[in-house]
Amino acid sequence: MNPKCILGKAINHGPDKGLGFDAFSACPEQGLYALCDGANSCPDSGQAALWLCHQITRAPMPEDTPLNFEPLVRDLHEDMLLSFPNTAATLVGLHVAPWGLRLVSVGDSDLTLYKRRWRGWGSWQKNCTMPKDLDTNGNPSQLIASEVLDTVHQLDLPAQGTWLALMMSDGPARVLPTSSLQKTLQKISHQTPSSEDLDYLCRALADEALSSGCQDDVSVAMLWIRYG
């Protein structure tokens, strides 16, 4: 049985949509979701990020296994080097399938999975965060279509209970404290949320990031997932 998924998002949130270099794409029928952040110093970064996340969520699907992001991302990396030679982009995303979740990350955007404690009746608690690729100065050490792509990070999680995936570009991820994230997530009750509920919470976090002085593009997406 396919899991139930509810999506909310606030992409390039703020006055005039900021720089517009973040992009989000979803294909609910295939269970694919992706957030990409284009390099801010390059004028075609928004277009490149949109192309990348669209390609991720329109990938050919295997019949009985999760999508293997590793060869897909490396092929798209080579394509981007030719099609968008002057820019690069991060990636966080996931494949939601009947047999479980597969997460992917490259760069410094944020993908964190939360799960309720006490057999689904407690508060939301962080279960895992995908690795961030950062150098000693806090800058991304690898990007898709950069000079170096060393590692495509993947992680599998079981088809069990209710999950909440929080995706953020690096701007809000850097300024939003854990306490704010936890306080916001606790507003998602045990009942199934609506997409409008999650949109509202994404905008609230994006507004807080802007009021905290974030100068980067601000993008936040939430995906509520229930198995069984």
Side-chain angles (χ1 to χ4, degrees):
M1 179 181 296
N2 289 324
K4 184 177 182 63
C5 295
I6 309 294
L7 174 66
K9 60 186 185 298
I11 307 300
N12 292 309
H13 185 75
D16 300 321
K17 293 289 187 179
L19 297 172
F21 289 164
D22 293 347
F24 183 87
S25 183
C27 183
E29 298 81 9
Q30 301 284 11
L32 291 170
Y33 303 84
L35 173 67
C36 296
D37 180 358
N40 287 359
S41 60
C42 309
D44 57 349
S45 288
Q47 182 183 359
L50 184 60
W51 179 88
L52 176 59
C53 65
H54 183 85
Q55 293 298 315
I56 291 288
T57 57
R58 300 303 187 272
M61 296 298 297
E63 292 186 2
D64 56 357
T65 59
L67 175 65
N68 187 355
F69 287 107
E70 168 81 28
L72 172 63
V73 169
R74 293 194 181 277
D75 285 347
L76 294 175
H77 169 75
E78 296 298 329
D79 290 346
M80 280 188 70
L81 287 171
L82 296 175
S83 301
F84 301 95
N86 298 316
T87 189
T90 70
L91 166 68
V92 289
L94 65 162
H95 179 203
V96 183
W99 46 84
L101 306 176
R102 174 162 287 175
L103 317 182
V104 61
S105 69
V106 177
D108 61 349
S109 292
D110 189 278
L111 172 55
T112 300
L113 270 287
Y114 295 82
K115 202 166 178 58
R116 289 192 181 277
R117 299 183 62 189
W118 308 113
R119 296 185 178 180
W121 292 100
S123 60
W124 291 104
Q125 297 292 323
K126 182 167 70 173
N127 180 275
C128 63
T129 297
M130 289 301 287
K132 293 186 178 69
D133 303 307
L134 298 171
D135 61 21
T136 56
N137 296 317
N139 299 314
S141 57
Q142 65 166 1
L143 297 169
I144 299 172
S146 64
E147 293 181 359
V148 177
L149 175 63
D150 288 326
T151 306
V152 179
H153 306 287
Q154 288 193 146
L155 176 67
D156 291 340
L157 297 172
Q160 186 178 75
T162 303
W163 296 92
L164 183 68
L166 177 62
M167 290 174 271
M168 296 186 288
S169 52
D170 68 303
R174 288 175 187 270
V175 302
L176 289 172
T178 300
S179 58
S180 292
L181 299 178
Q182 289 285 356
K183 182 178 178 180
T184 299
L185 297 185
Q186 302 318 318
K187 295 178 181 179
I188 303 173
S189 68
H190 296 280
Q191 297 179 343
T192 302
S194 67
S195 58
E196 292 79 12
D197 293 333
L198 299 186
D199 283 344
Y200 173 80
L201 296 178
C202 289
R203 290 194 300 268
L205 287 175
D207 285 336
E208 183 176 349
L210 290 170
S211 65
S212 298
C214 180
Q215 300 296 312
D216 201 350
D217 284 322
V218 175
S219 295
V220 181
M222 293 182 186
L223 184 66
W224 181 95
I225 307 155
R226 174 168 288 170
Y227 285 94

